[in-house]
Amino acid sequence: MGTGTVDNQRTAVDGLRLVVRALVYAVLGGAALLTIATVASVLGPMLALDLYTPPVAAWWTVFTAIAVQGVPFLLLGTVVSAAIGAFVPERVFSRLLPRNQALAVPVAGAAGVVLPGCECASVPVAGSLMRRGVAPAAALAFLLSAPAINPVVLVATSVAFPGQPEMVLGRLVASLATAVVMGWLWARFGRAEWLRMPGRHTGPSAFGPRAFTAGLQHDFLHAGGFLVLGAAAAATFNIAVPRSVLDLFTGSPWLSVLLLALLAVVLCVCSEADAFVAASLSGFSPTARLAFLVVGPMVDLKLIALQAGTFGRSFAVRFSSATWVVAVVSSVLVGWWLL
């Protein structure tokens, strides 16, 4: 009896050490990425010699901004993802979500308020939910709603648009509607061959501290590479398109909505900061700025890259395209109603 108690204590201590070690490695890894990105942004243009030009310096600035914004929330998402996969039994999700997939989608979409992170965090969490047996339609609804309707984002929006509660309400309604509609569309028309399901961990370490460590290392390194790829693509687009082109669209309400919806895709602004960017675009209509706020957390270059790496390129192309259309339509309808 005494020996069994000692063994249990040793197991608990070993498990705690593994968890602490994994968290330390993850924090150090995120800090290292931030340090590298910051040093590169400062020294990169100086070391480029002949390549040291204002466009190159601007590229480094945009790339660093996206990476610095994304890495902390990516770290948060991978920690949550690993914790779900390692410590939460599958039966928990089967109890929390309705068995009817049509009802599970809005419940999962509304549950997006519990994760105060951006789109970088939602992808690994959604993948972990699928591994734990959650229906893809419900997990995808959560993926879209989590970065758009959490309290941090809504508070930031209210600060960016003081005295305009209709903008906060419009963002909440349009974003949640987009997430639920996309979940229902996937439940009705989605095909299994379009979605590469995240691998399910098996073996003796499929549950517990060792599974947490393995899942955290895999998700952070895997998603981090695609975050860097998306940040580089967004920085390139920002530098390649002249600002004079953007000014041509401000005169038309419809073109301005489409322009800001496209701009949200390429700017890759974190959902906690995009409201301040939208507020600065005072030359555009409120509906156009609402479209920027709704589309950005759901469809941008780094998110498409993360989805392609996690769920497959075929899924990312189809799902992102459909999400963009639904988000624009939802923004226009809600803007016409509230704004």
Side-chain angles (χ1 to χ4, degrees):
M1 188 69 175
T3 303
T5 302
V6 172
D7 292 339
N8 290 336
Q9 291 177 347
R10 289 178 178 175
T11 302
V13 171
D14 291 341
L16 181 60
R17 287 176 178 174
L18 284 172
V19 172
V20 172
R21 185 181 303 171
L23 290 175
V24 170
Y25 286 164
V27 172
L28 291 178
L33 284 177
L34 292 177
T35 302
I36 292 172
T38 304
V39 171
S41 68
V42 175
L43 300 181
M46 298 175 59
L47 299 177
L49 299 177
D50 293 340
L51 295 179
Y52 180 47
T53 62
V56 173
W59 188 96
W60 277 108
T61 300
V62 175
F63 173 80
T64 305
I66 296 173
V68 169
Q69 287 177 344
V71 167
F73 293 103
L74 179 63
L75 176 59
L76 170 64
T78 52
V79 170
V80 174
S81 171
I84 290 174
F87 301 115
V88 181
E90 294 184 9
R91 62 179 180 272
V92 171
F93 301 105
S94 61
R95 292 176 179 176
L96 292 178
L97 292 175
R99 294 185 180 275
N100 188 321
Q101 193 170 207
L103 297 177
V105 166
V107 172
V113 299
V114 302
L115 180 62
C118 71
E119 55 271 24
C120 299
S122 63
V123 174
V125 173
S128 181
L129 291 175
M130 292 185 192
R131 285 197 297 266
R132 307 310 295 172
V134 173
L140 294 175
F142 175 85
L143 181 152
L144 295 177
S145 68
I149 65 172
N150 70 72
V152 176
V153 169
L154 297 180
V155 169
T157 305
S158 67
V159 172
F161 292 91
Q164 301 181 53
E166 65 275 5
M167 185 64 75
V168 181
L169 179 61
R171 181 173 197 175
L172 171 63
V173 174
S175 299
L176 182 58
T178 300
V180 173
V181 169
M182 283 305 302
W184 282 337
L185 287 176
W186 182 265
R188 176 63 180 85
F189 301 105
R191 298 181 181 178
E193 59 266 25
W194 292 348
L195 177 63
R196 184 183 68 201
M197 293 292 291
R200 184 183 295 271
H201 300 297
T202 59
S205 297
F207 199 80
R210 294 187 182 276
F212 175 79
T213 303
L216 180 59
Q217 292 175 346
H218 174 271
D219 288 345
F220 183 76
L221 294 176
H222 183 68
F226 285 96
L227 170 62
V228 171
L229 178 63
T236 302
F237 192 93
N238 272 270
I239 303 305
V241 178
R243 293 187 178 273
S244 58
V245 175
L246 305 181
D247 297 334
L248 299 176
F249 295 86
T250 56
S252 171
W254 296 105
L255 289 179
S256 63
V257 169
L258 296 178
L259 175 62
L260 289 194
L262 290 173
L263 195 63
V265 175
V266 299
L267 285 183
C268 299
V269 183
C270 186
S271 58
E272 276 75 15
D274 62 356
F276 301 96
V277 177
S280 69
L281 301 173
S282 56
F284 293 88
S285 66
T287 300
R289 289 187 282 178
L290 177 62
F292 180 87
L293 295 175
V294 175
V295 171
M298 298 185 179
V299 186
D300 64 28
L301 291 180
K302 71 175 184 295
L303 181 57
I304 294 173
L306 286 168
Q307 290 180 359
T310 304
F311 304 117
R313 185 175 58 182
S314 177
F315 166 84
V317 171
R318 291 181 173 90
F319 189 75
S320 297
S321 301
T323 301
W324 188 87
V325 173
V326 173
V328 171
V329 172
S330 177
S331 301
V332 170
L333 293 177
V334 172
W336 170 78
W337 173 43
L338 288 177
L339 307 179

